[in-house]
Amino acid sequence: MPAKTKKSGVKLKLDTLTPQDYDKLSKPFVPARPVFKNCIRAFIAGGIICVIGQGVQEAFMAIFDMSSKEAASPTVAVMILLSVILTSFGVYDKMAQWAGAGTAVPVTGFANSMCSAALEHRAEGLVLGVGGNMFKLAGSVIVFGAVAAFIIGIVYLILGVDGGAHT
Amino acid sequence: MMIYLWAFLIGGAICVIGQLMFDVLKLTPAHTMSTLVVAGAIADAFGIYDPLVKFAGAGATIPITSFGNSLVHGALTELERDGWIGVVTGIFDITSAGISSAIVFSFLAALVVRPKG
């Protein structure tokens, strides 16, 4: 839409404003991010989520007599279930506003991104909406993780590095 | 009980790294998560993620970095057991629990929950 700035005599060339110019113009008006406060919040929230995870893991180890390695997968599944429930009630997103990366970085944030995409696109149908959009955000994590793992696997294969430490 | 303290400290520290990537490097959440996953994968390639898991428990297994760690773990374990094809077949071996439950629970949630606004 062509802005009629010339008429009012404003010499800001809105039509030719590049994103860089915009950044330069708006910079004095953008509030500085409270980096320190955000980091403290992320630390506390992330730490608490990991402590809950540790509690779930210890519970699996005690009740089902599992080793810590065996208990890791069910623990992740339980954390994801909790995250999906909290996301469904709209609680997780409220927490995320306070905690920032503290709720995004744990695996619960991964589940949250999938669940909220599924809920958001529910109206577009199960196949195109839920199925098609679930991995909108989580997809990049899986793609880059899988490609990185593949490359590392190939490097190990070529170099013949003994992966004995990995069993 | 010490493991809970370390889980809190290490888990929190990894989240702070993520927060710094948001705020200081101005990365999008998707870029941040992808970078952390690749970082976890590389850490496992050098064999430094496992000691961290032993040390910090859930503080290392709950953050998304452990996803990268598990992908590499699966690939390398099956590489050893089945040869070259293991690199492809093993990648999602360990992470299956996480990905599958996230898909299934999210789908069920979408069936049951009425979206709010």
Side-chain angles (χ1 to χ4, degrees):
Chain A
M1 194 177 78
K4 291 178 182 170
T5 45
K6 272 173 198 156
K7 217 176 181 181
S8 57
V10 179
K11 277 188 178 168
L12 261 180
K13 284 174 267 171
L14 282 182
D15 291 337
T16 57
L17 198 66
T18 63
Q20 287 82 3
D21 291 338
Y22 179 82
D23 283 346
K24 218 186 278 169
L25 285 171
S26 65
K27 206 173 179 193
F29 306 103
V30 177
R33 297 198 200 192
V35 176
F36 186 73
K37 193 173 89 181
N38 287 351
C39 285
I40 296 289
R41 287 177 168 188
F43 184 76
I44 293 171
I48 290 173
I49 292 174
C50 290
V51 166
I52 296 171
Q54 187 69 39
V56 172
Q57 189 173 345
E58 305 261 324
F60 270 111
M61 287 159 70
I63 299 169
F64 298 103
D65 199 25
M66 291 169 159
S67 72
S68 65
K69 210 159 222 174
E70 287 169 329
S73 283
T75 302
V76 167
V78 167
M79 294 305 284
I80 284 172
L81 179 61
L82 288 177
S83 168
V84 166
I85 292 171
L86 290 175
T87 305
S88 301
F89 287 107
V91 180
Y92 202 90
D93 295 297
K94 287 217 177 73
M95 282 159 49
Q97 279 180 354
W98 187 84
T103 47
V105 170
V107 73
T108 47
F110 176 78
N112 168 255
S113 75
M114 286 178 65
C115 185
S116 50
L119 295 181
E120 196 184 324
H121 295 276
R122 172 69 183 88
E124 292 157 38
L126 284 181
V127 176
L128 295 178
V130 176
N133 290 290
M134 201 184 268
F135 285 103
K136 219 160 130 195
L137 292 161
S140 64
V141 168
I142 295 180
V143 168
F144 280 92
V147 171
F150 180 77
I151 293 171
I152 290 167
I154 294 296
V155 169
Y156 265 72
L157 181 64
I158 292 170
L159 296 182
V161 181
D162 180 31
H166 287 281
T167 44
Chain B
M1 280 302 116
M2 278 305 279
I3 189 84
Y4 284 96
L5 179 65
W6 287 120
F8 183 84
L9 294 177
I10 299 294
I14 295 175
C15 291
V16 168
I17 294 173
Q19 187 69 48
L20 288 173
M21 290 165 79
F22 282 174
D23 284 349
V24 178
L25 301 181
K26 307 242 177 350
L27 294 178
T28 67
H31 281 89
T32 305
M33 297 309 142
S34 305
T35 311
L36 286 174
V37 165
V38 173
I42 293 172
D44 190 45
F46 289 107
I48 50 181
Y49 208 87
D50 260 4
L52 189 68
V53 170
K54 271 213 182 81
F55 174 70
T61 56
I62 295 295
I64 199 77
T65 42
S66 97
F67 188 69
N69 166 60
S70 305
L71 291 170
V72 171
H73 239 70
L76 294 185
T77 307
E78 298 219 348
L79 169 67
E80 248 167 70
R81 205 186 63 203
D82 303 336
W84 61 272
I85 192 69
V87 176
V88 189
T89 57
I91 286 181
F92 288 110
D93 214 28
I94 304 171
T95 49
S96 174
I99 298 177
S100 306
S101 52
I103 294 173
V104 172
F105 295 148
S106 298
F107 186 79
L108 293 177
L111 286 184
V112 176
V113 178
R114 293 272 128 231
K116 299 179 217 167

